[in-house]
Amino acid sequence: MAPQNRLIWLVALTAVPLTVAAALSPAMATAVIVIVAIVMVIAAGDAAAGIGIFAGLTVSAPRGARLTRDAEGKIELAVIDRRGRALRLRAVLALPPEISCPQADIAFRLKPQPAGPSSAYAVWDCRPARRGRFILETCWVETPSPLGLWAMRKALPVRVEVSVYPNLGAERRSVAALFLNRGGYGIHAQRQIGQGRDFEKLRAYIPGDSYADIHWKATAKRGRPVTKIYQIERTQEVYVLIDSSRLSGRAIAVPGVPRGDGLEDLGGTTNMLERFVTASLVLAMAAQRQGDLLGLLTFTTQVDRFLSARGGRGHFRACRDTLLNVQPSAVTPDFGELFSFVRTRLRRRALLIILTNLDDPIIAEQFAHHVQVVSRQHLVLVSSLKNPDVAPLFEREAASVEEIYAGLGGHLQWRRLRELEWTLRRRGINFHQLNNETLSAQLISQYVAVKQRQLL
């Protein structure tokens, strides 16, 4: 408990004048002592009466809190008094440093309820700065004592699960054209070429059928020509494999993105994994609109999280919850363990989009060796974020000797990545270095190109 202004004024208006009076007139000493003792007894009695004032008071979170990174949100708590009393309360929620709140304490009142418990809601306006799941376990409440001389305080237990999801607003604005319902894929209708590879049934041969479509085993068994019939592949499996090892923990800059109201979202600094998570969720929305099934997999030295390919809004929420707590780990990825898991778990041919960073030559060599386990069965696309310092030597003008040496290092790394790209391409694997600003749009463009050419 803490003294209130009322107690301070009471002491100032009684003890100080009476002490001065007793000093000037010794005959009043006994009366002064009695009056001061009465004041002390009143203050002590008020403090004793306020000790049990929190009995029957509970704090709960009826719905938890779902927030978006770098966006305004609210955390709501329900304060219930089973005695139905009228109380003036001030509450302070123990927030983690990743969630900023301009107003730390909230003042509110509980209205008296003679027939049942009284309740009220306390709402904190906050802005989270990091994605993840946070558990709030303490709420400090304060109320005045019956005479208002003391502020009684107590820490009440509460369990609030705060889920902070990635902010997809800027990414959705950057790929808005791909979500328009004009022709199926985007602004322009795109012609599907080739024939579907999804087998439908067998039928008797009709003059004019291609010899490539004849099912020779069925022909030999039945003694007459039999033709295979295909259907256009509409529902395909797409898996996004996200590297959450140390390779994805590097810091990168996030540029400002213009909004529809003429303002601009301020940029900042994040890591590669955060960009991978955001782009994966945007790709999940695109796959949902195309009717495909999307699955997720995160890996480090082993497969950490795996979500089978499905569709629908409920599955998108499951993908978002799966990626909620994914953070970079200070370990080196094990691609052998990854592709062994994929080879044994994914029976149906699928599109594998691997988001990782292969600028380390040793790790790139291991990746090129182990990816052959799945490249013959699945269609593999490898994407990484482009480093602006990795470029051909004479692409930019150098102003000093230090910049020349930095350019030489960037050129050597660029050359190694080009050789890796050629090596993977000979094995039927596409390797792309994508721009940070347009990562989501480029991923969706690759996905649309695969759908158009029916490579699956």
Side-chain angles (χ1 to χ4, degrees), residues 320-398:
R320 189 177 58 179
D321 293 337
T322 300
L323 298 177
L324 185 61
N325 271 338
V326 177
Q327 299 297 336
S329 301
V331 295
T332 301
D334 188 345
F335 291 110
E337 180 70 20
L338 167 67
F339 294 124
S340 297
F341 180 89
V342 173
R343 185 69 177 86
T344 56
R345 293 294 296 270
L346 304 185
R347 300 295 185 181
R348 180 183 175 186
R349 178 175 170 83
L351 171 62
L352 306 181
I353 301 177
I354 305 175
L355 302 178
T356 184
N357 192 359
L358 299 178
D359 54 2
D360 189 319
I362 298 179
I363 295 179
E365 182 180 355
Q366 295 175 355
F367 178 87
H369 173 70
H370 292 294
V371 74
Q372 301 178 78
V373 176
V374 298
S375 60
R376 295 181 180 179
Q377 179 184 1
H378 304 286
L379 179 61
V380 182
L381 300 180
V382 185
S383 299
S384 63
L385 286 177
K386 183 183 297 183
N387 188 347
D389 298 329
V390 178
L393 180 59
F394 299 105
E395 190 175 77
R396 292 177 298 181
E397 183 178 353

Side-chain angles (χ1 to χ4, degrees), residues 160-204:
V160 185
E161 184 175 306
V162 181
S163 301
V164 181
Y165 296 103
N167 194 339
L168 305 181
E171 299 292 336
R172 292 193 62 176
R173 286 191 292 270
S174 64
V175 297
L178 298 175
F179 289 97
L180 295 178
N181 191 16
R182 299 178 185 176
Y185 288 117
I187 296 180
H188 304 288
Q190 302 188 31
R191 182 174 62 92
Q192 285 190 337
I193 59 179
Q195 69 173 358
R197 294 174 181 266
D198 194 4
F199 175 78
E200 182 179 4
K201 63 181 180 179
L202 297 174
R203 64 166 172 80

Side-chain angles (χ1 to χ4, degrees), residues 112-442:
Q113 298 291 338
S118 57
S119 62
Y121 287 93
V123 181
W124 283 265
D125 296 325
C126 56
R127 185 183 182 93
R130 187 171 69 86
R131 171 183 53 84
R133 180 178 284 109
F134 306 92
I135 303 298
L136 311 182
E137 298 180 342
T138 305
C139 179
W140 293 87
V141 293
E142 177 187 282
T143 186
S145 58
L147 297 180
L149 301 180
W150 302 93
M152 312 305 296
R153 298 171 181 174
K154 186 177 182 179
L156 297 180
V158 62
R159 182 175 178 82
V160 185
E161 184 175 306
V162 181
S163 301
V164 181
Y165 296 103
N167 194 339
L168 305 181
E171 299 292 336
R172 292 193 62 176
R173 286 191 292 270
S174 64
V175 297
L178 298 175
F179 289 97
L180 295 178
N181 191 16
R182 299 178 185 176
Y185 288 117
I187 296 180
H188 304 288
Q190 302 188 31
R191 182 174 62 92
Q192 285 190 337
I193 59 179
Q195 69 173 358
R197 294 174 181 266
D198 194 4
F199 175 78
E200 182 179 4
K201 63 181 180 179
L202 297 174
R203 64 166 172 80
Y205 175 81
I206 298 177
D209 288 346
S210 174
Y211 288 163
D213 295 335
I214 295 179
H215 196 291
W216 296 106
K217 290 185 178 181
T219 298
K221 182 177 180 180
R222 300 182 183 181
R224 61 180 184 275
V226 177
T227 303
K228 293 179 289 186
I229 301 298
Y230 298 91
Q231 63 180 355
I232 297 296
E233 293 177 312
R234 295 297 183 185
T235 302
Q236 300 168 340
E237 290 188 358
V238 181
Y239 280 89
V240 181
L241 284 63
I242 303 176
D243 183 1
S244 58
S245 67
R246 62 178 179 85
L247 302 180
S248 302
R250 303 176 186 178
I252 56 174
V254 178
V257 179
R259 302 188 307 194
D261 53 4
L263 301 177
E264 182 175 295
D265 292 328
L266 297 179
T269 303
T270 184
N271 53 49
M272 290 186 178
L273 180 60
E274 194 70 32
R275 300 289 294 129
F276 290 161
V277 169
T278 303
S280 301
L281 292 178
V282 175
L283 182 62
M285 290 189 290
Q288 178 183 350
R289 293 197 56 122
Q290 300 305 321
D292 285 339
L293 309 179
L294 185 128
L296 287 175
L297 186 150
T298 65
F299 64 94
T300 51
T301 56
Q302 60 182 3
V303 175
D304 301 322
R305 294 170 176 83
F306 176 71
L307 195 62
S308 299
R310 290 186 179 86
R313 294 184 179 180
H315 182 67
F316 174 78
R317 290 192 291 267
C319 294
R320 189 177 58 179
D321 293 337
T322 300
L323 298 177
L324 185 61
N325 271 338
V326 177
Q327 299 297 336
S329 301
V331 295
T332 301
D334 188 345
F335 291 110
E337 180 70 20
L338 167 67
F339 294 124
S340 297
F341 180 89
V342 173
R343 185 69 177 86
T344 56
R345 293 294 296 270
L346 304 185
R347 300 295 185 181
R348 180 183 175 186
R349 178 175 170 83
L351 171 62
L352 306 181
I353 301 177
I354 305 175
L355 302 178
T356 184
N357 192 359
L358 299 178
D359 54 2
D360 189 319
I362 298 179
I363 295 179
E365 182 180 355
Q366 295 175 355
F367 178 87
H369 173 70
H370 292 294
V371 74
Q372 301 178 78
V373 176
V374 298
S375 60
R376 295 181 180 179
Q377 179 184 1
H378 304 286
L379 179 61
V380 182
L381 300 180
V382 185
S383 299
S384 63
L385 286 177
K386 183 183 297 183
N387 188 347
D389 298 329
V390 178
L393 180 59
F394 299 105
E395 190 175 77
R396 292 177 298 181
E397 183 178 353
S400 62
V401 178
E402 290 78 9
E403 292 185 5
I404 294 177
Y405 282 108
L408 284 172
H411 177 81
L412 294 176
Q413 194 170 359
W414 172 81
R415 182 65 183 177
R416 286 195 297 266
L417 289 174
R418 290 288 292 175
E419 292 176 354
L420 175 64
E421 180 180 353
W422 297 333
T423 301
L424 295 178
R425 185 173 297 175
R426 288 195 297 268
R427 299 172 182 175
I429 302 168
N430 293 322
F431 174 67
H432 302 278
Q433 297 186 68
L434 309 181
N435 295 323
N436 178 30
E437 298 81 2
T438 58
L439 174 61
S440 299
Q442 289 179 299

